[in-house]
Amino acid sequence: MIYAYIENSKGKFKKAAYELVSYAKNLADTVGDSVTALTINSEDSSELLYKYGANKVINIQDEALKSFNPKEYASVLSEIMHGNYILFTHTTDSASIAPYIVKKKSAAYITQAISTPLSMVPFRVKRSVFSGKGIAVVETKEPIIVLTLSVNSIGAKENPVSGTEENITVCTDIDPRYTVKQEEVITGKLDVKDAELVIGAGRGMKGPENWGMIEDLANILGAATACSKPVSDLGWRSHSEHVGQTGKIISPKLYLSIGISGAIQHVAGVNKSKTIVVINNDPEAPFFKSADYGVIGDLFEVVPILTKKLKAFKEAN
Ligand SMILES: Cc1cc2nc3c(=O)[nH]c(=O)nc-3n(C[C@H](O)[C@H](O)[C@H](O)COP(=O)(O)OP(=O)(O)OC[C@H]3O[C@@H](n4cnc5c(N)ncnc54)[C@H](O)[C@@H]3O)c2cc1C
């Protein structure tokens, strides 16, 4: 049996869930097995997961787990996940649950997989290393494998099956010594992780008072705004916008970088973008090496012109 843990946000399956089910389905077809998707407190229809190949959806309902708690999530999941392949998406939440499952099952642990298996015996797969700069091929002969899949590595592929649903109600006793504090940042804006167009701005902006031009450009394009680490460290922008090795990893269709040098730690979070455009006044800025298009110029001149041109284009079309 192949198990996939499906994350949800406020009851709705996350976009990456469909990619994980697609991965599980591919694995299931290879070994002649079926896919069971497990969710905790989700409200979305299981049909959405059948569409990508989940043969069974088990929805665990537990009031105590409404607040995320990796240890307790792992306890509940491990009672059900009795398969050889236990799959998670490589997100902060899932990557906090998975190691507990590894320990409970004495399983092999492969993180940040980016390919379907290259072989099944031994189990070999490609994984991302060095913040996305390299690829390693790893293998294991262990009978139970816990694997986390990098987001946007294989993509979601529809593969409809007729599935069944099971609802289980659990009542977990949460260890009072262990609580997770959750704070939700509501900006009313597009989440940088889900957006197809993202505008990232860095220390070249000189100060938070200059972000109006970034917001204007983002509004015209319908883009989300992101920033480099120093910008969020300085409190110029919310930490929720910080992208990179220690921030969010994004893969939009377009990443427009403005006044960001392109340090390896920043690029690690955006190098899966389909197209990267860089605006920087330093022709030697490292970001130009990763860019598909570059503008060498002063952002305080280039950005207002770009916004004006895009506005005119939108009005004319
Ligand atoms: C362990 C570790 C983890 C890290 N994780 C992250 C991470 O997740 N994300 C991240 O972003 N960083 C991260 N960093 C920091 C990273 O190394 C860089 O210091 C940081 O990305 C630089 O931010 P920046 O490009 O905004 O600023 P700067 O390096 O100061 O670059 C500003 C850029 O703006 C350009 N500029 C200035 N004025 C203008 C103008 N008028 N017009 C056009 N261009 C202009 C400059 O030429 C320069 O290239 C990490 C560092 C470490 C050590």
Side-chain angles (χ1 to χ4, degrees):
M1 186 78 78
I2 292 155
Y3 286 94
Y5 170 64
I6 302 303
E7 281 186 38
N8 69 78
S9 169
K10 294 188 195 142
K12 301 263 169 232
F13 299 138
K14 289 192 179 168
K15 206 172 113 193
Y18 306 116
E19 183 178 29
L20 188 68
V21 175
S22 304
Y23 190 90
K25 172 69 176 152
N26 178 288
L27 198 54
D29 287 347
T30 309
V31 296
D33 211 329
S34 61
V35 177
T36 299
L38 271 98
T39 74
I40 295 181
N41 294 326
S42 80
E43 289 160 17
D44 254 346
S45 162
S46 299
E47 298 284 341
L48 295 169
L49 301 177
Y50 304 154
K51 207 162 117 188
Y52 291 86
N55 303 90
K56 184 170 183 182
V57 176
I58 301 179
N59 186 14
I60 301 160
Q61 295 291 339
D62 189 339
E63 275 301 310
L65 297 184
K66 288 224 155 131
S67 167
F68 180 65
N69 183 321
K71 197 173 169 201
E72 300 298 350
Y73 269 48
S75 292
V76 171
L77 292 173
S78 66
E79 291 294 316
I80 302 170
M81 292 173 146
H82 296 300
N84 297 85
Y85 302 99
I86 298 176
L87 311 177
F88 291 87
T89 304
H90 195 83
T91 58
T92 311
D93 284 5
S94 285
S96 332
I97 304 169
Y100 287 110
I101 306 264
V102 172
K103 174 83 173 37
K104 282 174 191 288
K105 306 277 179 192
S106 300
Y109 190 29
I110 297 174
T111 57
Q112 298 191 67
I114 53 167
S115 75
T116 50
L118 306 173
S119 75
M120 296 307 294
V121 188
F123 186 86
R124 293 172 76 236
V125 73
K126 288 185 194 169
R127 68 177 291 260
S128 172
V129 290
F130 300 123
S131 303
K133 284 273 166 197
I135 294 171
V137 174
V138 288
E139 68 174 53
T140 177
K141 290 179 182 152
E142 292 297 325
I144 303 176
I145 298 165
V146 175
L147 176 147
T148 68
L149 178 70
S150 283
V151 177
N152 290 326
S153 50
I154 63 149
K157 191 168 161 250
E158 287 190 20
N159 208 332
V161 293
S162 57
T164 56
E165 184 184 71
E166 187 180 342
N167 291 298
I168 301 178
T169 304
V170 183
C171 192
T172 303
D173 270 337
I174 302 283
D175 181 345
R177 291 169 303 171
Y178 189 100
T179 55
V180 177
K181 191 173 164 228
Q182 274 179 310
E183 269 180 40
E184 195 179 352
V185 181
I186 300 169
T187 60
K189 294 183 200 156
L190 269 175
D191 187 330
V192 75
K193 276 192 116 168
D194 295 330
E196 296 203 326
L197 308 177
V198 176
I199 300 178
R203 210 153 39 178
M205 294 295 298
K206 316 288 186 225
E209 66 281 5
N210 294 323
W211 247 265
M213 70 171 87
I214 301 296
E215 300 279 358
D216 287 348
L217 184 55
N219 285 339
I220 296 272
L221 286 171
T225 50
C227 69
S228 63
K229 182 174 184 294
V231 163
S232 67
D233 287 348
L234 287 162
W236 293 0
R237 299 294 287 181
S238 151
H239 179 65
S240 61
E241 289 194 6
H242 162 197
V243 293
Q245 185 184 324
T246 47
K248 291 182 177 167
I249 310 276
I250 58 169
S251 48
K253 284 188 178 154
L254 171 72
Y255 182 64
L256 173 55
S257 147
I258 299 172
I260 298 178
S261 58
I264 183 171
Q265 297 90 352
H266 183 85
V267 176
V270 302
N271 60 7
K272 282 194 192 147
S273 309
K274 279 221 164 66
T275 302
I276 296 180
V277 180
V278 168
I279 301 174
N280 198 302
N281 63 358
D282 175 7
E284 301 298 322
F287 222 152
F288 284 122
K289 290 203 181 101
S290 317
D292 297 287
Y293 301 94
V295 179
I296 300 168
D298 184 344
L299 70 90
F300 294 99
E301 289 172 19
V302 177
V303 173
I305 294 170
L306 184 60
T307 306
K308 202 173 148 193
K309 293 268 180 201
L310 283 168
K311 204 171 172 189
F313 177 81
K314 264 188 108 174
E315 279 164 8
N317 290 277

